[in-house]
Amino acid sequence: MAQREVLATIFLILASALLIEAPSHHRFPKPGSHHSRSENGKRWALLVAGSYGYSNYRHQADVCHAYQVLKKGGLKDENIIVFMFDDIASNKQNPRKGVIINRPNGPNVYPGVPKDYTGANVTVGNFFNVILANRSGLTGGSGKVLDSGPDDHIFIYYSDHGAPGFIEMPDGLIFARDFAHILKKKYEARSYAQMVIYMEACFGGSIFKGLLSDNWNIYATTAANPEEQSYVCYCMKQGEYQDTCLGDHYSVSWIEDSERRNLSGETLEKQFKLVRNRTWDSHVMEYGNKSLAARSFLNAFMGAGHLDRSPFSPLDTLESANVSSFPRAKSYRISQHEAELYHHRQQYVRARRGSKERSHAKQKLVAEIRIREETDLRMSQIADALFGSEMGSYNMGKTTGRPEGEALVDDWDCLENMLKAYQERCGKLNTYGLKYTRLLANMCNAGVHVEQMASAAARVCAVG
Protein backbone atom coordinates (compact mmCIF):
# COMPACT_ATOMS: atom_id res chain seq x y z
CA MET A 1 0.00 0.00 0.00
CA ALA A 2 2.84 2.35 0.84
CA GLN A 3 4.46 1.72 -2.54
CA ARG A 4 1.18 2.50 -4.32
CA GLU A 5 0.98 5.80 -2.41
CA VAL A 6 4.49 6.75 -3.50
CA LEU A 7 3.80 5.78 -7.12
CA ALA A 8 0.59 7.81 -7.09
CA THR A 9 2.47 10.81 -5.73
CA ILE A 10 5.19 10.53 -8.37
CA PHE A 11 2.53 10.25 -11.09
CA LEU A 12 0.85 13.43 -9.79
CA ILE A 13 4.13 15.29 -9.88
CA LEU A 14 5.09 14.17 -13.37
CA ALA A 15 1.62 14.71 -14.81
CA SER A 16 1.31 18.25 -13.46
CA ALA A 17 4.87 19.05 -14.56
CA LEU A 18 4.05 18.01 -18.11
CA LEU A 19 0.95 20.20 -18.11
CA ILE A 20 2.89 23.24 -17.00
CA GLU A 21 6.04 22.71 -18.85
CA ALA A 22 4.41 21.84 -21.99
CA PRO A 23 -16.94 24.47 32.37
CA SER A 24 -20.71 23.26 32.84
CA HIS A 25 -21.62 25.67 35.73
CA HIS A 26 -21.53 28.64 33.40
CA ARG A 27 -24.85 29.84 32.08
CA PHE A 28 -25.49 29.62 28.35
CA PRO A 29 -27.50 32.21 26.43
CA LYS A 30 -31.04 31.34 25.44
CA PRO A 31 -31.53 30.16 21.87
CA GLY A 32 -32.10 33.13 19.58
CA SER A 33 -30.19 35.52 21.81
CA HIS A 34 -27.33 37.37 20.14
CA HIS A 35 -25.53 37.93 23.42
CA SER A 36 -23.49 34.90 24.40
CA ARG A 37 -20.78 36.94 26.09
CA SER A 38 -20.97 38.01 29.71
CA GLU A 39 -21.48 41.75 30.21
CA ASN A 40 -18.14 42.05 31.98
CA GLY A 41 -16.21 39.41 30.07
CA LYS A 42 -13.33 39.95 27.69
CA ARG A 43 -12.54 38.21 24.43
CA TRP A 44 -9.12 36.63 24.05
CA ALA A 45 -7.47 35.01 21.05
CA LEU A 46 -4.37 32.85 20.61
CA LEU A 47 -3.31 32.40 16.98
CA VAL A 48 -0.56 29.88 16.21
CA ALA A 49 1.30 29.08 13.00
CA GLY A 50 3.53 26.19 14.01
CA SER A 51 5.68 25.86 10.88
CA TYR A 52 8.47 27.72 9.13
CA GLY A 53 9.89 27.90 5.62
CA TYR A 54 8.45 29.29 2.39
CA SER A 55 6.94 25.96 1.36
CA ASN A 56 4.64 26.38 4.40
CA TYR A 57 3.59 29.90 3.34
CA ARG A 58 -0.09 29.05 3.89
CA HIS A 59 0.11 28.54 7.66
CA GLN A 60 1.32 32.06 8.42
CA ALA A 61 -1.06 33.44 5.79
CA ASP A 62 -3.95 31.71 7.59
CA VAL A 63 -2.92 33.17 10.94
CA CYS A 64 -2.36 36.69 9.61
CA HIS A 65 -5.75 36.62 7.91
CA ALA A 66 -7.41 35.36 11.09
CA TYR A 67 -5.83 38.26 12.97
CA GLN A 68 -7.33 40.77 10.53
CA VAL A 69 -10.80 39.25 11.04
CA LEU A 70 -10.52 39.49 14.83
CA LYS A 71 -9.08 43.00 14.71
CA LYS A 72 -11.93 44.22 12.53
CA GLY A 73 -14.30 42.52 14.95
CA GLY A 74 -13.10 44.76 17.75
CA LEU A 75 -10.66 42.59 19.65
CA LYS A 76 -7.80 44.59 21.13
CA ASP A 77 -4.19 43.79 20.35
CA GLU A 78 -3.55 43.40 24.06
CA ASN A 79 -5.94 40.43 23.97
CA ILE A 80 -4.67 38.85 20.73
CA ILE A 81 -1.53 36.72 21.01
CA VAL A 82 0.25 35.58 17.87
CA PHE A 83 2.81 32.80 17.37
CA MET A 84 4.48 32.71 13.96
CA PHE A 85 8.03 32.20 12.80
CA ASP A 86 7.78 35.39 10.70
CA ASP A 87 10.05 34.21 7.91
CA ILE A 88 7.60 34.58 5.01
CA ALA A 89 6.96 38.29 4.42
CA SER A 90 10.65 39.08 3.86
CA ASN A 91 11.61 35.68 2.46
CA LYS A 92 13.82 35.84 -0.63
CA GLN A 93 11.36 33.53 -2.42
CA ASN A 94 8.41 35.83 -1.71
CA PRO A 95 7.66 37.71 -4.96
CA ARG A 96 6.13 40.64 -3.04
CA LYS A 97 8.34 41.59 -0.11
CA GLY A 98 6.43 42.62 3.00
CA VAL A 99 3.22 41.14 1.63
CA ILE A 100 1.34 37.99 2.63
CA ILE A 101 -1.92 37.03 0.93
CA ASN A 102 -4.33 34.21 1.80
CA ARG A 103 -6.16 33.90 -1.52
CA PRO A 104 -5.55 34.76 -5.17
CA ASN A 105 -5.55 38.52 -5.73
CA GLY A 106 -6.39 38.94 -2.06
CA PRO A 107 -5.42 41.80 0.26
CA ASN A 108 -2.17 42.01 2.19
CA VAL A 109 -2.97 40.42 5.56
CA TYR A 110 0.47 41.00 7.10
CA PRO A 111 0.29 44.67 8.27
CA GLY A 112 -0.33 45.19 11.96
CA VAL A 113 0.00 41.56 13.02
CA PRO A 114 1.54 41.46 16.52
CA LYS A 115 4.96 39.85 16.68
CA ASP A 116 4.49 38.27 20.09
CA TYR A 117 6.38 35.02 19.67
CA THR A 118 8.54 34.69 16.56
CA GLY A 119 11.55 32.69 15.39
CA ALA A 120 13.16 30.68 18.17
CA ASN A 121 10.41 31.80 20.57
CA VAL A 122 7.75 29.75 18.76
CA THR A 123 8.05 26.82 21.15
CA VAL A 124 5.93 24.16 22.78
CA GLY A 125 6.84 25.51 26.21
CA ASN A 126 5.81 29.07 25.39
CA PHE A 127 2.56 27.82 23.85
CA PHE A 128 1.62 25.96 27.03
CA ASN A 129 2.71 28.77 29.33
CA VAL A 130 0.77 31.37 27.36
CA ILE A 131 -2.41 29.30 27.73
CA LEU A 132 -1.85 28.90 31.48
CA ALA A 133 -0.84 32.57 31.90
CA ASN A 134 2.44 31.43 33.44
CA ARG A 135 4.75 34.36 32.67
CA SER A 136 7.56 32.92 34.78
CA GLY A 137 7.79 29.95 32.43
CA LEU A 138 8.18 31.98 29.24
CA THR A 139 11.44 32.15 27.31
CA GLY A 140 11.54 35.23 25.12
CA GLY A 141 8.66 36.86 23.30
CA SER A 142 6.39 39.75 24.22
CA GLY A 143 5.30 38.25 27.54
CA LYS A 144 1.62 38.39 26.59
CA VAL A 145 -0.41 35.51 28.02
CA LEU A 146 -4.06 34.46 28.24
CA ASP A 147 -4.59 36.35 31.50
CA SER A 148 -8.29 35.62 31.35
CA GLY A 149 -10.93 35.55 34.05
CA PRO A 150 -14.03 33.44 34.80
CA ASP A 151 -16.32 35.57 32.59
CA ASP A 152 -13.99 35.65 29.57
CA HIS A 153 -14.17 33.90 26.22
CA ILE A 154 -11.10 32.37 24.56
CA PHE A 155 -10.54 31.52 20.91
CA ILE A 156 -7.52 29.38 19.97
CA TYR A 157 -6.62 28.81 16.33
CA TYR A 158 -3.75 26.58 15.24
CA SER A 159 -2.48 26.03 11.70
CA ASP A 160 0.37 23.63 10.86
CA HIS A 161 1.18 19.98 10.31
CA GLY A 162 -0.11 17.14 12.43
CA ALA A 163 0.06 13.38 12.69
CA PRO A 164 -1.84 10.74 14.67
CA GLY A 165 -1.60 11.85 18.28
CA PHE A 166 0.18 15.19 17.99
CA ILE A 167 0.69 18.49 16.22
CA GLU A 168 3.99 20.11 15.30
CA MET A 169 5.92 23.15 16.45
CA PRO A 170 9.35 24.32 15.23
CA ASP A 171 11.09 22.97 18.33
CA GLY A 172 9.18 19.72 18.78
CA LEU A 173 5.84 17.97 19.06
CA ILE A 174 2.71 18.71 21.07
CA PHE A 175 1.28 15.35 22.10
CA ALA A 176 -2.50 15.19 22.41
CA ARG A 177 -2.26 13.94 25.98
CA ASP A 178 -0.16 16.93 27.01
CA PHE A 179 -2.42 19.45 25.27
CA ALA A 180 -5.47 17.94 27.00
CA HIS A 181 -3.66 18.20 30.33
CA ILE A 182 -3.03 21.93 29.75
CA LEU A 183 -6.66 22.53 28.82
CA LYS A 184 -7.81 20.71 31.95
CA LYS A 185 -5.55 22.87 34.11
CA LYS A 186 -6.95 26.00 32.47
CA TYR A 187 -10.47 24.77 33.22
CA GLU A 188 -9.65 23.91 36.83
CA ALA A 189 -8.23 27.41 37.30
CA ARG A 190 -11.71 28.79 36.40
CA SER A 191 -10.07 31.29 34.09
CA TYR A 192 -12.63 31.34 31.28
CA ALA A 193 -16.35 31.04 30.69
CA GLN A 194 -16.16 29.36 27.29
CA MET A 195 -13.35 28.34 24.95
CA VAL A 196 -13.35 27.55 21.24
CA ILE A 197 -10.51 25.81 19.38
CA TYR A 198 -10.16 25.63 15.61
CA MET A 199 -7.41 23.26 14.46
CA GLU A 200 -5.94 23.08 10.97
CA ALA A 201 -3.82 19.92 10.92
CA CYS A 202 -3.71 16.49 9.36
CA PHE A 203 -5.25 13.83 11.63
CA GLY A 204 -6.53 16.73 13.78
CA GLY A 205 -9.34 14.70 15.27
CA SER A 206 -6.79 12.54 17.08
CA ILE A 207 -5.88 15.53 19.25
CA PHE A 208 -9.32 15.66 20.85
CA LYS A 209 -11.03 12.29 20.34
CA GLY A 210 -11.42 10.59 23.71
CA LEU A 211 -9.46 13.35 25.44
CA LEU A 212 -11.52 16.56 25.40
CA SER A 213 -14.10 16.42 28.18
CA ASP A 214 -17.60 17.76 27.56
CA ASN A 215 -17.47 19.28 31.05
CA TRP A 216 -14.65 21.73 30.33
CA ASN A 217 -16.87 24.18 28.39
CA ILE A 218 -14.61 23.82 25.37
CA TYR A 219 -15.79 23.34 21.81
CA ALA A 220 -13.28 22.27 19.16
CA THR A 221 -13.44 21.68 15.43
CA THR A 222 -10.73 20.13 13.27
CA ALA A 223 -9.87 20.15 9.59
CA ALA A 224 -9.70 16.36 9.43
CA ASN A 225 -10.80 13.29 11.32
CA PRO A 226 -8.28 11.14 13.24
CA GLU A 227 -7.51 8.97 10.20
CA GLU A 228 -6.86 11.41 7.36
CA GLN A 229 -4.88 14.33 6.00
CA SER A 230 -6.25 17.82 5.64
CA TYR A 231 -5.94 19.74 2.36
CA VAL A 232 -4.33 22.93 1.15
CA CYS A 233 -5.89 25.25 -1.41
CA TYR A 234 -5.20 28.20 -3.70
CA CYS A 235 -2.21 26.40 -5.19
CA MET A 236 -1.57 28.55 -8.23
CA LYS A 237 -0.89 27.02 -11.64
CA GLN A 238 0.66 30.18 -13.01
CA GLY A 239 1.78 33.67 -11.99
CA GLU A 240 4.09 34.93 -9.30
CA TYR A 241 2.80 32.56 -6.60
CA GLN A 242 2.87 29.38 -8.66
CA ASP A 243 5.40 27.63 -6.41
CA THR A 244 3.34 27.76 -3.22
CA CYS A 245 -0.16 27.35 -1.83
CA LEU A 246 -1.79 30.41 -0.31
CA GLY A 247 -4.18 28.80 2.15
CA ASP A 248 -5.62 25.70 3.77
CA HIS A 249 -9.06 24.47 2.77
CA TYR A 250 -10.63 24.34 6.25
CA SER A 251 -8.97 27.56 7.38
CA VAL A 252 -9.96 29.77 4.47
CA SER A 253 -13.47 28.35 4.77
CA TRP A 254 -14.01 29.57 8.33
CA ILE A 255 -12.05 32.78 7.83
CA GLU A 256 -13.87 33.83 4.67
CA ASP A 257 -17.20 32.88 6.23
CA SER A 258 -16.37 35.08 9.23
CA GLU A 259 -15.59 37.98 6.91
CA ARG A 260 -18.90 37.66 5.15
CA ARG A 261 -21.39 37.02 7.93
CA ASN A 262 -23.11 38.93 10.69
CA LEU A 263 -21.25 37.23 13.51
CA SER A 264 -23.84 38.25 16.09
CA GLY A 265 -26.38 36.19 14.14
CA GLU A 266 -24.36 33.07 13.33
CA THR A 267 -23.79 30.32 15.86
CA LEU A 268 -20.68 28.21 16.14
CA GLU A 269 -22.79 25.26 15.07
CA LYS A 270 -23.90 27.00 11.90
CA GLN A 271 -20.35 27.93 10.96
CA PHE A 272 -19.26 24.35 11.61
CA LYS A 273 -21.87 23.06 9.18
CA LEU A 274 -20.98 25.64 6.53
CA VAL A 275 -17.28 24.91 6.82
CA ARG A 276 -17.91 21.16 6.79
CA ASN A 277 -19.88 21.49 3.56
CA ARG A 278 -17.23 23.58 1.90
CA THR A 279 -14.26 21.49 3.04
CA TRP A 280 -15.20 18.47 0.97
CA ASP A 281 -11.71 16.96 0.67
CA SER A 282 -11.54 15.94 4.33
CA HIS A 283 -14.02 15.36 7.14
CA VAL A 284 -14.34 18.41 9.37
CA MET A 285 -15.06 17.20 12.90
CA GLU A 286 -16.35 18.63 16.19
CA TYR A 287 -15.49 17.66 19.76
CA GLY A 288 -16.18 18.74 23.32
CA ASN A 289 -19.25 20.63 24.46
CA LYS A 290 -21.49 20.67 21.40
CA SER A 291 -24.35 22.40 23.23
CA LEU A 292 -22.01 25.39 23.48
CA ALA A 293 -21.81 25.44 19.70
CA ALA A 294 -25.58 25.36 19.32
CA ARG A 295 -26.21 28.28 21.66
CA SER A 296 -23.15 30.50 21.35
CA PHE A 297 -22.68 33.09 18.63
CA LEU A 298 -19.45 33.85 16.83
CA ASN A 299 -19.32 37.44 18.07
CA ALA A 300 -18.61 36.15 21.59
CA PHE A 301 -15.22 34.98 20.34
CA MET A 302 -14.44 36.89 17.14
CA GLY A 303 -16.10 40.24 17.69
CA ALA A 304 -18.85 42.03 15.80
CA GLY A 305 -17.49 41.11 12.40
CA HIS A 306 -16.79 43.07 9.24
CA LEU A 307 -18.95 42.28 6.25
CA ASP A 308 -16.84 41.93 3.13
CA ARG A 309 -19.00 42.01 0.03
CA SER A 310 -16.18 42.09 -2.48
CA PRO A 311 -17.08 40.27 -5.70
CA PHE A 312 -14.04 38.03 -5.30
CA SER A 313 -15.24 36.15 -2.26
CA PRO A 314 -16.66 32.78 -3.26
CA LEU A 315 -19.00 32.36 -0.30
CA ASP A 316 -22.27 33.65 -1.74
CA THR A 317 -23.32 30.08 -2.61
CA LEU A 318 -21.86 28.46 0.48
CA GLU A 319 -25.22 27.40 1.86
CA SER A 320 -26.45 25.98 -1.44
CA ALA A 321 -26.33 22.31 -2.35
CA ASN A 322 -23.53 22.96 -4.81
CA VAL A 323 -20.64 24.18 -2.68
CA SER A 324 -17.86 23.82 -5.26
CA SER A 325 -17.39 27.57 -5.13
CA PHE A 326 -13.67 28.18 -4.85
CA PRO A 327 -12.35 30.84 -7.23
CA ARG A 328 -11.45 29.48 -10.65
CA ALA A 329 -8.24 31.52 -10.78
CA LYS A 330 -6.30 28.58 -12.23
CA SER A 331 -5.69 27.14 -8.78
CA TYR A 332 -6.28 23.74 -7.25
CA ARG A 333 -6.19 21.80 -3.99
CA ILE A 334 -3.76 19.11 -2.87
CA SER A 335 -3.17 17.18 0.33
CA GLN A 336 -0.84 18.50 2.99
CA HIS A 337 1.70 15.76 2.30
CA GLU A 338 1.75 16.64 -1.39
CA ALA A 339 2.36 20.35 -0.71
CA GLU A 340 6.09 19.98 -0.08
CA LEU A 341 6.54 18.02 -3.31
CA TYR A 342 4.44 20.57 -5.16
CA HIS A 343 6.69 23.38 -3.97
CA HIS A 344 9.90 21.70 -5.15
CA ARG A 345 8.38 20.58 -8.44
CA GLN A 346 7.08 24.06 -9.20
CA GLN A 347 10.48 25.57 -8.45
CA TYR A 348 12.02 23.08 -10.86
CA VAL A 349 9.51 23.92 -13.60
CA ARG A 350 9.90 27.67 -13.17
CA ALA A 351 13.70 27.69 -13.18
CA ARG A 352 15.62 28.30 -16.39
CA ARG A 353 16.86 25.17 -18.13
CA GLY A 354 20.45 24.42 -17.25
CA SER A 355 20.46 26.83 -14.29
CA LYS A 356 21.75 26.07 -10.80
CA GLU A 357 18.29 26.86 -9.44
CA ARG A 358 16.73 24.16 -11.61
CA SER A 359 19.35 21.60 -10.62
CA HIS A 360 18.93 22.44 -6.92
CA ALA A 361 15.14 22.16 -7.10
CA LYS A 362 15.42 18.78 -8.82
CA GLN A 363 17.82 17.51 -6.17
CA LYS A 364 15.45 18.55 -3.37
CA LEU A 365 12.47 16.96 -5.10
CA VAL A 366 14.25 13.67 -5.74
CA ALA A 367 15.66 13.63 -2.20
CA GLU A 368 12.21 14.14 -0.67
CA ILE A 369 10.72 11.31 -2.75
CA ARG A 370 13.56 8.98 -1.80
CA ILE A 371 13.16 9.76 1.90
CA ARG A 372 9.47 8.92 1.65
CA GLU A 373 10.11 5.67 -0.19
CA GLU A 374 12.72 4.67 2.38
CA THR A 375 10.41 5.48 5.29
CA ASP A 376 7.53 3.55 3.73
CA LEU A 377 9.75 0.51 3.22
CA ARG A 378 11.26 0.62 6.69
CA MET A 379 7.91 0.95 8.42
CA SER A 380 6.46 -1.86 6.31
CA GLN A 381 9.35 -4.17 7.21
CA ILE A 382 9.05 -3.35 10.92
CA ALA A 383 5.30 -3.94 10.86
CA ASP A 384 5.76 -7.29 9.08
CA ALA A 385 8.41 -8.32 11.62
CA LEU A 386 6.11 -7.60 14.58
CA PHE A 387 2.66 -8.46 13.21
CA GLY A 388 3.32 -10.76 10.27
CA SER A 389 2.97 -9.75 6.63
CA GLU A 390 -0.84 -9.76 6.45
CA MET A 391 -1.50 -7.98 9.76
CA GLY A 392 1.49 -5.71 9.24
CA SER A 393 -0.13 -4.05 6.23
CA TYR A 394 -3.45 -3.85 8.07
CA ASN A 395 -1.91 -2.07 11.06
CA MET A 396 -0.13 0.43 8.82
CA GLY A 397 -3.35 1.55 7.14
CA LYS A 398 -5.67 2.40 10.01
CA THR A 399 -6.02 2.72 13.77
CA THR A 400 -6.84 -0.74 15.10
CA GLY A 401 -8.29 -2.18 18.28
CA ARG A 402 -9.84 1.04 19.58
CA PRO A 403 -13.47 1.28 20.78
CA GLU A 404 -15.61 4.05 19.31
CA GLY A 405 -14.88 7.38 21.00
CA GLU A 406 -11.63 6.24 22.58
CA ALA A 407 -8.33 8.09 22.18
CA LEU A 408 -5.64 6.92 19.77
CA VAL A 409 -3.77 5.08 22.52
CA ASP A 410 -4.11 4.35 26.22
CA ASP A 411 -0.42 4.39 27.08
CA TRP A 412 0.90 7.69 25.77
CA ASP A 413 4.29 7.07 27.34
CA CYS A 414 4.54 3.95 25.23
CA LEU A 415 3.81 5.92 22.06
CA GLU A 416 6.33 8.61 22.93
CA ASN A 417 8.99 5.99 23.71
CA MET A 418 8.20 4.06 20.52
CA LEU A 419 8.78 7.18 18.47
CA LYS A 420 11.99 7.99 20.32
CA ALA A 421 13.30 4.43 19.88
CA TYR A 422 12.58 4.45 16.16
CA GLN A 423 14.23 7.80 15.57
CA GLU A 424 17.31 6.83 17.56
CA ARG A 425 17.84 3.86 15.24
CA CYS A 426 16.49 5.06 11.90
CA GLY A 427 16.78 8.84 12.00
CA LYS A 428 14.32 11.64 12.57
CA LEU A 429 10.99 11.36 10.80
CA ASN A 430 9.90 14.28 8.66
CA THR A 431 6.30 15.51 8.44
CA TYR A 432 5.40 12.80 5.93
CA GLY A 433 7.00 10.01 7.96
CA LEU A 434 5.33 11.07 11.18
CA LYS A 435 2.02 9.74 9.86
CA TYR A 436 3.35 6.34 10.97
CA THR A 437 2.81 7.24 14.61
CA ARG A 438 -0.54 5.50 13.97
CA LEU A 439 1.41 2.27 13.42
CA LEU A 440 3.42 2.87 16.59
CA ALA A 441 0.18 3.49 18.52
CA ASN A 442 -1.23 0.23 17.17
CA MET A 443 1.87 -1.53 18.49
CA CYS A 444 1.28 -0.08 21.95
CA ASN A 445 -2.39 -1.05 21.88
CA ALA A 446 -1.48 -4.59 20.78
CA GLY A 447 0.94 -5.03 23.69
CA VAL A 448 4.14 -4.81 21.68
CA HIS A 449 6.99 -3.71 23.95
CA VAL A 450 9.22 -0.79 23.06
CA GLU A 451 12.22 -3.12 23.20
CA GLN A 452 10.66 -5.37 20.56
CA MET A 453 10.06 -2.48 18.19
CA ALA A 454 13.53 -1.09 18.87
CA SER A 455 15.10 -4.44 18.02
CA ALA A 456 13.14 -4.68 14.77
CA ALA A 457 14.03 -1.10 13.85
CA ALA A 458 17.70 -1.75 14.52
CA ARG A 459 17.70 -4.72 12.15
CA VAL A 460 15.78 -2.91 9.43
CA CYS A 461 17.83 0.25 9.63
CA ALA A 462 21.12 -1.59 10.22
CA VAL A 463 21.91 0.38 13.36
CA GLY A 464 23.20 -1.08 16.62
Side-chain angles (χ1 to χ4, degrees):
M1 188 178 92
Q3 290 178 335
R4 289 198 298 271
E5 181 178 347
V6 171
L7 289 174
T9 301
I10 295 173
F11 176 80
L12 171 69
I13 295 166
L14 294 176
S16 53
L18 286 172
L19 286 173
I20 291 176
E21 217 172 359
S24 60
H25 62 277
H26 291 297
R27 181 175 297 175
F28 292 107
K30 295 180 180 179
S33 168
H34 290 190
H35 303 286
S36 60
R37 182 167 62 93
S38 170
E39 292 273 340
N40 300 317
K42 295 180 181 179
R43 290 171 299 206
W44 296 81
L46 173 56
L47 311 177
V48 182
S51 65
Y52 60 92
Y54 191 74
S55 63
N56 290 312
Y57 182 109
R58 61 196 180 277
H59 299 138
Q60 292 184 49
D62 293 338
V63 161
C64 289
H65 198 175
Y67 165 79
Q68 302 299 341
V69 169
L70 300 178
K71 185 67 175 178
K72 289 176 182 178
L75 271 70
K76 301 176 181 178
D77 278 351
E78 64 191 60
N79 298 122
I80 304 175
I81 305 167
V82 178
F83 279 67
M84 67 176 188
F85 213 80
D86 197 26
D87 62 341
I88 300 300
S90 299
N91 195 291
K92 64 180 182 180
Q93 297 182 58
N94 189 355
R96 300 167 62 189
K97 298 297 184 289
V99 174
I100 295 178
I101 61 175
N102 197 212
R103 62 192 185 202
N105 306 314
N108 183 8
V109 294
Y110 185 64
V113 177
K115 310 293 176 55
D116 293 309
Y117 298 89
T118 62
N121 297 320
V122 182
T123 66
V124 175
N126 280 343
F127 176 65
F128 285 166
N129 283 307
V130 164
I131 293 175
L132 296 177
N134 178 24
R135 289 189 175 88
S136 64
L138 297 173
T139 56
S142 68
K144 286 162 63 177
V145 296
L146 290 177
D147 196 13
S148 51
D151 294 323
D152 295 351
H153 288 60
I154 298 174
F155 175 61
I156 297 177
Y157 168 56
Y158 169 93
S159 180
D160 188 19
H161 298 289
F166 64 84
I167 51 179
E168 295 186 44
M169 290 286 274
D171 72 322
L173 308 176
I174 298 175
F175 278 81
R177 168 202 57 188
D178 300 332
F179 188 34
H181 176 69
I182 294 297
L183 294 177
K184 183 180 180 182
K185 289 182 68 173
K186 189 72 171 175
Y187 166 75
E188 291 173 341
R190 298 182 179 272
S191 56
Y192 64 90
Q194 297 175 349
M195 182 188 298
V196 169
I197 304 173
Y198 283 5
M199 180 164 290
E200 174 72 65
C202 292
F203 312 98
S206 67
I207 304 303
F208 301 110
K209 182 182 177 183
L211 295 169
L212 183 61
S213 171
D214 296 352
N215 297 325
W216 297 348
N217 256 19
I218 299 175
Y219 174 70
T221 75
T222 64
N225 69 28
E227 303 288 331
E228 66 186 355
Q229 298 179 54
S230 60
Y231 279 70
V232 308
C233 65
Y234 299 151
C235 304
M236 308 308 296
K237 296 182 180 180
Q238 62 184 29
E240 58 185 352
Y241 288 102
Q242 67 177 271
D243 60 351
T244 193
C245 300
L246 303 178
D248 292 285
H249 203 170
Y250 160 88
S251 292
V252 300
S253 294
W254 80 257
I255 292 170
E256 291 179 2
D257 176 65
S258 299
E259 286 182 313
R260 300 268 299 165
R261 306 295 176 183
N262 176 0
L263 301 187
S264 63
E266 182 172 333
T267 62
L268 291 160
E269 180 182 59
K270 182 176 181 180
Q271 183 167 84
F272 165 73
K273 291 178 178 179
L274 293 172
V275 171
R276 181 181 61 188
N277 287 341
R278 184 180 176 184
T279 313
W280 57 87
D281 294 300
S282 59
H283 298 83
V284 176
M285 304 297 289
E286 59 180 344
Y287 300 92
N289 191 329
K290 296 176 185 177
S291 65
L292 185 160
R295 301 187 180 190
S296 296
F297 291 82
L298 292 169
N299 67 314
F301 303 91
M302 302 180 189
H306 174 79
L307 298 182
D308 177 7
R309 293 294 179 184
S310 66
F312 175 82
S313 182
L315 288 174
D316 286 324
T317 60
L318 187 60
E319 295 179 81
S320 68
N322 180 13
V323 295
S324 301
S325 53
F326 270 88
R328 304 305 181 189
K330 295 187 177 180
S331 68
Y332 56 99
R333 302 174 308 281
I334 56 179
S335 71
Q336 293 280 357
H337 288 170
E338 291 168 346
E340 184 76 16
L341 298 175
Y342 169 85
H343 172 69
H344 296 317
R345 190 264 299 167
Q346 288 294 92
Q347 288 196 321
Y348 170 77
V349 169
R350 293 185 69 183
R352 180 175 52 83
R353 290 181 180 274
S355 66
K356 291 182 179 180
E357 291 78 10
R358 190 177 178 91
S359 177
H360 181 64
K362 181 180 179 180
Q363 289 174 6
K364 295 186 75 171
L365 177 59
V366 171
E368 179 65 22
I369 293 173
R370 285 177 176 169
I371 289 172
R372 294 181 182 207
E373 290 176 331
E374 183 178 69
T375 302
D376 290 340
L377 179 59
R378 286 175 170 178
M379 286 296 186
S380 177
Q381 291 175 334
I382 292 171
D384 289 350
L386 296 173
F387 291 111
S389 57
E390 183 175 339
M391 291 305 296
S393 297
Y394 180 71
N395 277 279
M396 286 182 68
K398 60 185 294 184
T399 301
T400 59
R402 303 302 294 158
E404 183 65 27
E406 291 295 312
L408 173 72
V409 66
D410 288 324
D411 189 346
W412 287 90
D413 288 335
C414 173
L415 176 57
E416 190 169 359
N417 289 329
M418 283 279 192
L419 179 58
K420 180 180 179 181
Y422 175 88
Q423 294 190 136
E424 286 176 346
R425 289 155 181 82
C426 301
K428 185 176 181 180
L429 290 169
N430 64 7
T431 293
Y432 171 84
L434 285 169
K435 69 178 184 177
Y436 287 112
T437 51
R438 178 201 288 123
L439 172 61
L440 301 180
N442 288 342
M443 293 178 187
C444 292
N445 294 331
V448 175
H449 297 293
V450 174
E451 293 78 14
Q452 293 174 278
M453 195 285 299
S455 178
R459 291 194 302 271
V460 167
C461 300
V463 176

